[in-house]
Structure formats: structure tokens, C-alpha cells
Amino acid sequence: MTSVSLDRSSLTMNTGESYQLECIIQPLSSAYANSTNWKSSDPSVATVNASGVVTAVYSGSCTITASSGDHKAVCQVVVNPLEYGFSFGRAGALYYGDSYDVGTHNFVLRLLGDGVAMDNDGMLSGEGLFVNLDVQLPLTDFKLTAGTYHMSEERGEYTFAPGQIYEESGTQYAIGTFVGQRTSEGLKVIFVKSGSFWITVTGDTYRLEAHLVGEKQEDIVLSFQGTIPVIDKTGANPPETITLNPSSVKVDFLGDIDGVGLNVFRHTITHAQDTVLQLEFYAPLSVTDKVPNGTYPFSGTNTYALVPASTNNGVLRGAWFTDVNGKKKILNGQVVVSKKDENQMFTCRLIDETGRIIDVNYIH
């Protein structure tokens, strides 16, 4: 025997397809008949039988090797990614607070298919399909909110975590974001490694659309419409929420008062005589008439940011909330500024130093 070769050096296949590889042994001789050994480097992607028939099993790549004596030949096999589309009408969410200590609230959102149920402790039962979405939201949010969510390992606001295996005491668990199939034989999962989803809210009804990519490049499209009850897993009492109904809004242009190359606009929002919210917004030096539309978080001396609370010779600077309990610094949250007819809408969701949530919408 001088050589072994195959009729194909590569194959691209769809799941379920088969192809008969031809092994050519030189020199041709009946003595080499049935002497070929076949092997797949990853039978979970593609298998090969004793006759050289390759069958695509699942998305991925592998190598098929034909060997005879001291000679061998290989064929690289690529199985095209699978496409999945799932629609759900039931869901539930588990709220864990700032469980990762990263300044965001963690929610595990589960979309539930037929046959799968979730109890009041968040435990799943039954057999069927479900999706686990491991989501981070601002500290001001105690339920899922409208927005665009992107996958990230950093666990920042409006992100969701990739799926992975977590092992504890010799037991493996699926965590993060994944598609799960509960069966009598156990749990089968597709871990999600990238993608985005979008939530809109009308009253108590949520609509979710997602486009995700699995660890083997599976193309996963999800949709959901319905209510999302939240189970509090923190065991803590929810913080007090103060909703303001402004009676007046006073706007002052302070210019580059901080000497950082940014103009400052101060808004003084009065709810009652002893209840006042003060906000200061950073804006570009080119803007002198009004706060530009956009989202304003607390992010230092950056354009389109809220000025943090401070005092200067007894003068309150930045974000403060004053009521019968005294003057309190606003430490977290954001303000979204958007166009409202000929005016601007300011949507504020803030947290003061005592942990209270300050909710206010006003038009100017």
C-alpha cells in the first residue's frame, strides 16, 4: 500500500443529511478490500459508519478520518447552524436584587412553553421547552422595564449574561441565558453566547422579541406576549417610592460653572412647599438654550450626564431631594429627555442616599 485518499477533502452539510465518502487505496488490490477504518473526531456533529457514510447530527465542525495500515486521509465536515423559532405566552421572573454587588438589579426571566410550570419559589416542573434570560436592570427598577437589552459578561444596566455551566459540590447547573428542554431523561440546553432582545410594555402586558445566537452558532428567534409576574427572592422589604406631581419647574442656565468644558442647566422641580427636587444636567458648550434630548445617568463630568450632589459654601450643587426628612443626595438613577409636542418630557427615576426611589415626570 502506498497511499490512502478520499473523494472529498471537505463537506458542508445540513443536519440530517448523509454523504457516502469514497476511500481510494493505491495500488488497487482486492487485498485491501474492507481494510478501511473510519472515525469522527466529534460524533455529536457528524457520525461515520463502517462503510464511510457520513451523517450530519448537529451544528459544528469535525474531522472524518479514513485509515488503512499506516496511511490515512481526512475530510473536514461543517454542519450548518440550525435555525429555531419559538413563541411563548407564559412567563415569570425572579428578582434577586443587587446579588452580584455590581450596582444593578438581577432578574431571571423565564419564558415557559407548554408543559412547563414555575411555582411561587421559582422551581420548574413538567416537561417541555423554556428559555432562561439572566437580566440586569438599573437599581431603580424592581420589575422588568421596556428597553433594548444586549448580551454582556459585565452585568451592566440593560444587559443579559451568556449561558454557561456552573459546578458546585460535584453537581453541574446551567446558568445565565439558555434555551432548555426538560425531558424524562433530564435537561438539555443550548447556551446563548450573543444577541439582543427588546421589551415593550403596554399596561400590564409585555411584548418581547429576541434574536440570539447559540454556542454552536444556532440562530434563535424568540417572541413573547403576556404578563410577567415577579417573585422576590431577596427576602427584603421593597424601598419606599415617592412619586412627585410637580407644581412648578424653574430652569437656570449656569454655563461652565465647574470649569470642565461643559455647560450646566439646573432644574428645580417643586412638588409642594417643602418637597423639592433639584437636578443639574451637563451639556455641550455649544448648547445654551435647553437640555438636549437623550439619557442622562450619573457618569462623572461627561456630556449628557447628571451632576452628582455636592455642596459649595453652603450652596447645593447637583442632584438633591428635599422634603420633611431634610436634604438628601441623589446617588443613582437616570433622566430620559425626549420630545413632547413642542416641549420636552423629562422622565426621572432616581434613588436618594436613604434608598428611596424618586419617580417624577414633567414637561418643560
Side-chain angles (χ1 to χ4, degrees):
M1 183 184 303
T2 59
S3 69
V4 172
S5 62
L6 295 173
D7 66 320
R8 296 287 297 271
S9 61
S10 64
L11 287 172
T12 299
M13 310 175 71
N14 294 321
T15 298
E17 290 182 343
S18 295
Y19 182 84
Q20 171 71 66
L21 284 173
E22 298 293 338
C23 182
I24 304 166
I25 299 175
Q26 297 288 348
L28 297 175
S29 171
S30 60
Y32 303 136
N34 301 319
S35 67
T36 305
N37 294 313
W38 297 91
K39 183 179 180 180
S40 170
S41 65
D42 190 347
S44 69
V45 174
T47 61
V48 62
N49 67 13
S51 300
V53 176
V54 178
T55 301
V57 176
Y58 199 79
S59 307
S61 61
C62 68
T63 301
I64 302 297
T65 302
S67 60
S68 184
D70 295 331
H71 301 274
K72 65 179 181 180
V74 298
C75 176
Q76 304 297 328
V77 176
V78 174
V79 179
N80 290 322
L82 287 174
E83 296 181 357
Y84 295 101
F86 303 119
S87 181
F88 299 89
R90 295 183 301 120
L94 309 175
Y95 165 65
Y96 290 97
D98 189 9
S99 56
Y100 292 96
D101 197 24
V102 292
T104 56
H105 280 164
N106 176 242
F107 292 79
V108 173
L109 169 61
R110 289 182 177 146
L111 310 180
L112 307 173
D114 294 339
V116 178
M118 187 170 76
D119 66 19
N120 290 333
D121 291 322
M123 300 298 293
L124 296 179
S125 61
E127 297 183 10
L129 186 76
F130 72 98
V131 176
N132 200 83
L133 295 162
D134 190 351
V135 180
Q136 302 297 130
L137 282 164
L139 290 177
T140 52
D141 292 338
F142 293 84
K143 61 181 181 180
L144 291 160
T145 55
T148 300
Y149 297 73
H150 300 287
M151 178 157 285
S152 172
E153 295 182 355
E154 301 301 319
R155 292 193 176 273
E157 296 178 356
Y158 300 102
T159 66
F160 59 110
Q164 60 181 307
I165 293 175
Y166 171 73
E167 185 168 340
E168 183 177 8
S169 303
T171 301
Q172 292 185 334
Y173 303 91
I175 63 171
T177 301
F178 60 89
V179 178
Q181 178 76 38
R182 290 174 57 87
T183 71
S184 58
E185 299 175 353
L187 177 65
K188 300 177 181 180
V189 302
I190 300 173
F191 289 119
V192 174
K193 295 303 182 182
S194 64
S196 301
F197 67 87
W198 305 264
I199 290 179
T200 56
V201 185
T202 304
D204 293 329
T205 301
Y206 287 77
R207 183 177 178 84
L208 180 149
E209 302 288 339
H211 191 179
L212 311 174
V213 179
E215 62 181 338
K216 291 191 173 182
Q217 300 304 307
E218 298 97 334
D219 189 51
I220 305 166
V221 176
L222 306 175
S223 64
F224 164 80
Q225 184 168 329
T227 59
I228 304 179
V230 177
I231 300 171
D232 189 341
K233 300 290 286 185
T234 65
N237 293 324
E240 178 186 1
T241 298
I242 300 173
T243 302
L244 304 182
N245 296 304
S247 59
S248 66
V249 178
K250 181 176 182 290
V251 178
D252 295 298
F253 175 66
L254 306 182
D256 187 11
I257 189 173
D258 295 324
V260 295
L262 295 169
N263 282 335
V264 175
F265 290 85
R266 175 183 292 161
H267 285 201
T268 305
I269 303 103
T270 301
H271 169 78
Q273 185 174 1
D274 58 357
T275 304
V276 178
L277 174 66
Q278 175 179 294
L279 298 173
E280 291 182 358
F281 301 82
Y282 280 127
L285 288 176
S286 59
V287 178
T288 59
D289 57 340
K290 63 181 180 180
V291 177
N293 294 343
T295 299
Y296 292 76
F298 287 94
S299 58
T301 53
N302 295 321
T303 309
Y304 308 111
L306 292 170
V307 180
S310 65
T311 57
N312 185 2
N313 296 323
V315 177
L316 301 183
R317 287 293 321 282
W320 290 83
F321 179 64
T322 304
D323 66 358
V324 293
N325 296 308
K327 296 177 173 62
K328 305 298 179 184
K329 296 178 180 179
I330 302 294
L331 301 181
N332 213 320
Q334 66 179 22
V335 177
V336 177
V337 184
S338 57
K339 182 177 174 58
K340 176 72 172 178
D341 298 326
E342 299 302 318
N343 300 306
Q344 289 178 296
M345 169 67 79
F346 292 76
T347 304
C348 312
R349 184 85 166 161
L350 308 163
I351 301 178
D352 76 2
E353 60 185 297
T354 67
R356 296 178 300 178
I357 295 175
I358 315 298
D359 244 339
V360 58
N361 298 331
Y362 64 93
I363 294 174
H364 187 265

